[in-house]
Amino acid sequence: MPVYYYIVLAIALFSIGVIGVLTRRNAIIIFMCIELMLNAVNLLLVAFSKMHNLATVAINPTAASDAQIFVFFIMVVAAAEVTVGLAIIVMLYRNTHSVDVNFLNRLKN
Amino acid sequence: MNNVLQIVWLIPILPLIGFLINGLGRKQLSKTLTGIIGSGVILGSFLISLFVFFNVKSGNTHVAHYFNFINTESIKVGFDLQIDQLSSLFLLIITGVGFLIHVYSTSYMHEEESKDFAKYFSYLNLFVFSMLLLVMGGNYIIMFIGWEGVGLCSYLLIGFWFTNNNYNDAAKKAFVMNRIGDLGFLLAVFWLISKTGTADYHEVFANVSKLSTFDITGITLLLFVGATGKSAQIPLYTWLPDAMAGPTPVSALIHAATMVTAGIYMIARSNILFTMAPFTQCVITIIGLATAVLAATIALKQNDIKKVLAYSTVSQLGYMFVGLGVGAYTGAVFHVMTHAFFKALLFLGAGSVIHAMGGEQDMRNMGGLKKYMSITHITFLIGCIAIAGMPPFSGFFSKDEILAEAFAKNPVYWGVGVLTAFMTAFYMFRLYAMTFTGKFRGTHDQEHHLHESPVAITIPLVILAILAIIGGWVGVPEALMHGGHRLEAFLEPIFTGSNAIAAKHELTHSTEYTLMAVSVVGALMALLYAWNKFSKYEKSTAEETGLGKVLENKWYVDELYDAIIVKPLQSIAAFFNNVVEKKGIDGFVNGVGKAVNYGSRQIRLLQSGQVSAYVLMMVIGILVLFIIQLFFIK
């Protein structure tokens, strides 16, 4: 499978994420879209790492796995970020009974 | 360097010390102590000046060099004090008359608060210091320091009662008018330095041949502009009468005896330059005559006792300039000396009268004071006779010397001068008669308050009166006494160069007798007429008409200056203030502020707080970066 397919898929995912963030007003959906973008990048990272290290992987399966370690890190950070984000959203919801970001454009409420 | 005249630095330093003590300790010192310090330092200077004078008389002149004041490649100006016949004579006048006026002030200013009293004395001392520096300086730069110093002190002293706005205006007027003159003086000094490369008197006068006629004429004219400012000549004379706003002793010291003679001193000091510039001499003579006549006519109709004296000073200064203009340098210096005596006496006498009248200066409310103030009356009468030019009083000798020299140059000059002399006699005796004879015209309270002034006031009056009588005897003309003109012999070394160049007009003795007779008889008649007329003076409420009104309003010169100089300047200033400043500069500066303000208000709208909008911008930014990356960066 050429790496080209992976790139197209990643672009599609990323674009969906961007458009989602730009157009949706529900905070939770926006979060999901951010995750989409992150994962599109993760996918690319792994794909490129495989592509560059094809020769070494054939000899030693655990070689050149730094990209994959990156990916794990990104996942951990994203999880932490979501935790914080969701906590904020929950607090906001308690205060305003809404998760509409346009409604939340001022912090004075 | 072992010359005894090395000690001359003490002369100006003593008043400076007095200024510092009185100025810094004005809150602690008592009035008595202030008076003693203030007068004592001047007395010290006077004693040293006497010593110096006798040294000079025995032929010991000296330029004391202390340190380099300005030291560059192209010009060196030393801090030099020059002691010769001219400066030692002036030193005696300044410190002597100055000391008497200091003593007088201790009594006259006694009603001031202790703090102000000390301030007054410190200013007086500073003034004397500046004047001494002016006279002793060995080059034009040191002279200029003193020149500016007296200008400053006159401002401080005229505006001494600064709570009164009119007095402040008078002080400002004196200061500004003097600045105009100072500019001329300064330009002349620059011109001299650029042509001769030095400002030392000795070297300048030795190198006078280096200068072209044009240079010399320009320099002397500019110097004369400086002199018109300080010595109150047309066109810069109007400050002096207004300067009577200051305390009376100040008027006596500054506006009669010292500062106004600075211009005369300067021209006498630079006599060689002026002798080589006949055009300038002609200008000086004409200006001097015009000033003398104009001021004398104004004095005829003034009712304020100090104003009359002020205009009389301006008029007498005009005489001195006539003397300088016709080359009678000795006569001019002689007149400075005698004028210092009798004008200080007259001012102090007037001060004594004002003191007794409780601050009243209007002669229409005086009269008959001779009953109450005998010493003031006698001394004042002596002063009036001296200034009117009656022999054997001092004014006669100096005035007639100038008049005789003027006649030798051009009889028209003499005619105008003699006419002024008649007017002088007339207005002085109008003043005398209105003040001291007849019956008292003031209020009852004032009459009750009349008294002879205390001893600190009368003693200076008596001493000055004696000087006003005998001061002229050092310059008895050849026609009356062979070898009688001791002053001329004394000043000879100063004017050697000029006398060598100038064509001497010798008058026959019979001509001189005629001139003297004419001026004396004319003045006597004017004097008696005025005495007679104004002894019977009655207060009238009638307005002056015609010429009298013009004279009372001083020929409307102040109004003229107002119309042609002050008003246009003010309107230009108003234009700059309202249009250029408010609209132009302020508009630009505020415009920048407004633009930033407006821009920030517009940019604020971008911060809507909507996350999606931010992200959209971010995305657009990224896209733009991509496009740049792809298409523009190769």
Side-chain angles (χ1 to χ4, degrees), chain B residues 232-252:
Chain B
Q233 297 296 292
I234 292 172
L236 300 178
Y237 74 92
T238 53
W239 65 268
L240 201 150
D242 285 25
M244 294 302 123
T248 308
V250 170
S251 309

Side-chain angles (χ1 to χ4, degrees), chain B residues 239-384:
Chain B
W239 65 268
L240 201 150
D242 285 25
M244 294 302 123
T248 308
V250 170
S251 309
L253 179 65
I254 300 189
H255 308 300
T258 59
M259 171 175 148
V260 292
T261 62
I264 319 278
Y265 168 80
M266 184 258 293
I267 293 182
R269 171 61 80 197
S270 329
N271 61 80
I272 181 86
L273 295 172
F274 284 82
T275 309
M276 290 175 73
F279 175 74
T280 312
Q281 284 196 306
C282 186
V283 170
I284 292 179
T285 313
I286 287 165
I287 295 262
L289 276 176
T291 311
V293 174
L294 185 88
T297 53
I298 295 173
L300 295 176
K301 277 287 174 198
Q302 294 299 311
N303 289 318
D304 181 320
I305 188 167
K306 282 175 77 178
K307 281 268 159 79
V308 177
L309 291 174
Y311 279 106
S312 142
T313 302
V314 176
S315 171
Q316 297 299 313
L317 288 164
Y319 268 118
M320 296 171 205
F321 276 100
V322 173
L324 295 170
V326 298
Y329 298 110
T330 313
V333 173
F334 186 21
H335 200 52
V336 165
M337 184 178 104
T338 57
H339 175 256
F341 296 150
F342 55 68
K343 192 45 71 66
L345 165 64
L346 289 169
F347 263 115
L348 296 185
S352 175
V353 168
I354 293 166
H355 192 72
M357 295 284 294
E360 174 70 65
Q361 296 191 7
D362 195 329
M363 295 189 301
R364 285 170 298 195
N365 301 333
M366 298 177 186
L369 295 184
K370 69 178 175 195
K371 280 208 295 280
Y372 308 96
M373 317 176 66
S374 52
I375 299 180
T376 307
H377 163 241
I378 298 290
T379 50
F380 202 90
L381 181 59
I382 290 170
C384 287

Side-chain angles (χ1 to χ4, degrees), chain A residues 18 21-24 101-102 104-106, chain B residues 608-613 615-617 619:
Chain A
V18 167
V21 168
L22 288 181
T23 52
R24 301 306 293 265
V101 286
N102 282 1
L104 297 172
N105 62 355
R106 289 189 196 84
Chain B
S608 57
Q610 291 185 345
V611 182
S612 48
V615 180
L616 178 63
M617 275 184 250
V619 170

Side-chain angles (χ1 to χ4, degrees), chain A residues 30-91:
Chain A
I30 290 175
F31 257 107
M32 283 159 51
C33 289
I34 290 172
E35 293 304 313
L36 263 184
M37 289 192 282
L38 285 169
N39 281 312
V41 175
N42 283 346
L43 177 63
L44 269 185
L45 269 171
V46 177
F48 285 139
S49 129
K50 269 287 188 209
M51 180 187 89
H52 284 300
N53 298 312
L54 271 177
T56 25
V57 172
I59 303 161
N60 176 7
T62 57
S65 55
D66 25 9
Q68 287 162 24
I69 290 168
F70 255 120
V71 167
F72 280 116
F73 268 99
I74 291 173
M75 284 177 180
V76 169
V77 171
E81 178 204 338
V82 165
T83 317
V84 175
L86 279 177
I88 292 172
I89 288 170
V90 168
M91 292 303 295

